[in-house]
């Protein structure tokens, strides 16, 4: 009977699949035109809340969710990629119970770029009736930069998500490692985790408190603290 090791806590898994949902909604609503701009904002606030949660969870979460577990050293990333693609080694690849070095780079890119996408949205203006809550608060030059980011970064994010999903399928079909199932169940089996100590529990109560704090913070940010605009009509 192969060992089943508990790697991904419930908060990390919930974060992932909610991010997929909210990101897809935010992107979808942005394409549906101005009638849906409010929904674009709300789902964007959801994305922002989730990313803030994950950043805090990366510092106080369970073992494999910690940022300190990421393997980001260029030597490690290059060495891993070389073995995976150039030598096509099926065995002898270094084992990672959490994210492997290529996965680590992707995690950082996705978290950072999606954070910038959501924050830049706060300064946007649809040039009709609707503006993000901080539009105009730091000057039109700043809004311009944010708008440039909001309109262009999205293409890089979509490409990265494409690679990300492609990589998950590559591991499943070619390397016979079902990382997707692990992101659903939290458990991993096989050589990668044979000699690894799994986590004991999900620290979900701590996660709940952190999630609540993140929700309150974003509510404060986009509603209570949003600069009040002059009523001109
Ligand atoms: C909007 C689309 C998506 C985004 C923004 C996204 C983002 C992320 C992020 C940020 C992580 C790191 C998780 C963490 O440590 O907190 C991750 C991991 C992961 N994602 Fe996604 N993801 C998306 C879609 C998908 C889809 C559709 C699949 C399945 C086909 C998938 C499969 C995985 C897997 C397997 C991992 C764990 C990788 C590993 O074991 O190193 N993702 N994703
Ligand atoms: C990660 C979350 C988000 C994603 C993926 C996203 C994506 C997009 C995309 C792709 C567009 C361009 C649509 C097009 O012209 O085809 C857009 C426009 C826009 N976004 Fe977002 N957005 C996000 C968050 C936000 C947030 C939080 C706000 C405001 C609070 C916001 C405000 C706007 C506005 C006002 C526009 C219209 C700009 C225009 O008409 O030129 N977005 N967004």
């Amino acid at each position: 009977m192969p060992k089943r090791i508990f790697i991904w806590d419930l908060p990390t898994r919930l974060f992932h699949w909610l991010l997929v949902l909210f990101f897809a909604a935010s992107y979808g609503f942005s394409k549906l035109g101005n009638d849906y701009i409010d929904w674009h904002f709300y789902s964007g606030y959801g994305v922002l809340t989730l990313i803030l949660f994950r950043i805090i969870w990366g510092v106080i979460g369970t073992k494999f969710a910690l940022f300190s577990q990421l393997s980001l050293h260029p030597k490690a990333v290059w060495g891993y990629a070389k073995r995976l693609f150039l030598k096509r080694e099926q065995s002898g690849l270094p084992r990672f119970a959490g994210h492997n070095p290529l996965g680590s780079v992707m995690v950082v890119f996705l978290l950072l770029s999606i954070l910038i996408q959501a924050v830049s949205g706060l300064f946007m203006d649809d040039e009709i009736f609707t503006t993000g809550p901080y539009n105009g608060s730091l000057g039109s030059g700043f809004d311009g930069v944010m708008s440039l980011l909001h309109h262009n970064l999205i293409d890089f994010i979509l490409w990265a998500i494409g690679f990300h999903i492609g990589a998950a399928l590559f591991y499943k079909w070619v390397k016979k490692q079902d990382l997707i199932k692990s992101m659903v169940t939290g458990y991993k089996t096989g050589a990668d985790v044979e000699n690894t100590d799994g986590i004991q529990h999900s620290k979900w109560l701590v996660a709940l408190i952190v999630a609540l704090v993140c929700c309150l913070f974003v509510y404060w940010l986009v509603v209570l603290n949003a600069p009040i605009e002059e009523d001109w009509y």
Side-chain angles (χ1 to χ4, degrees):
M1 183 81 175
K3 259 194 186 171
R4 277 175 98 233
I5 311 280
F6 192 25
I7 299 291
W8 302 123
D9 58 51
L10 181 65
T12 302
R13 285 176 283 143
L14 267 179
F15 154 78
H16 181 265
W17 297 113
L18 285 174
L19 180 65
V20 173
L21 191 77
F22 277 81
F23 181 90
S26 208
Y27 183 73
F29 286 128
S30 82
K31 294 290 161 197
L32 288 178
N34 272 290
D35 290 348
Y36 291 88
I37 192 80
D38 285 347
W39 289 102
H40 177 65
F41 281 26
Y42 301 147
S43 45
Y45 298 152
V47 170
L48 184 60
T49 311
L50 284 163
I51 300 278
L52 289 179
F53 169 83
R54 184 61 182 94
I55 290 172
I56 299 174
W57 203 237
V59 181
I60 64 164
T62 63
K63 183 173 163 192
F64 297 100
L66 296 178
F67 293 139
S68 57
Q69 281 279 319
L70 295 176
S71 183
L72 290 166
H73 196 284
K75 252 187 175 167
V77 177
W78 173 239
Y80 187 84
K82 212 164 61 179
R83 283 185 156 189
L84 189 65
F85 297 114
L86 298 183
K87 298 192 182 166
R88 298 188 174 211
E89 289 181 16
Q90 291 303 311
S91 59
L93 266 179
R95 293 170 182 182
F96 295 91
H99 298 297
N100 67 45
L102 287 175
S104 300
V105 172
M106 186 55 96
V107 171
V108 172
F109 178 80
L110 285 172
L111 291 179
L112 270 182
S113 58
I114 296 175
L115 177 68
I116 296 172
Q117 183 73 24
V119 170
S120 61
L122 303 178
F123 296 87
M124 292 288 288
D125 172 9
D126 74 351
E127 284 154 19
I128 305 178
F129 291 120
T130 326
T131 58
Y134 286 85
N135 179 260
S137 61
L138 294 178
S140 59
F142 190 78
D143 289 349
V145 175
M146 292 293 115
S147 173
L148 195 74
L149 276 174
H150 203 73
H151 276 114
N152 293 291
L153 187 59
I154 186 68
D155 291 337
F156 293 92
I157 298 175
L158 293 177
W159 273 104
I161 290 174
F163 275 117
H164 174 65
I165 296 171
L169 296 176
F170 169 79
Y171 272 89
K172 183 175 163 66
W173 290 330
V174 180
K175 299 203 64 70
K176 309 289 179 212
Q177 285 178 32
D178 202 341
L179 304 179
I180 303 170
K181 194 169 155 199
S182 307
M183 243 318 148
V184 175
T185 64
Y187 286 90
K188 283 193 178 180
T189 46
D192 271 344
V193 290
E194 241 159 39
N195 302 314
T196 310
D197 288 330
I199 55 174
Q200 298 303 316
H201 45 76
S202 281
K203 285 170 80 171
W204 62 264
L205 194 59
V206 182
L208 203 67
I209 295 168
V210 175
L212 202 68
V213 170
C214 290
C215 289
L216 289 174
F217 173 74
V218 171
Y219 181 73
W220 171 83
L221 185 75
V222 304
V223 178
L224 302 181
N225 188 57
I228 299 162
E229 299 208 341
E230 286 288 320
D231 226 352
W232 49 269
Y233 53 87

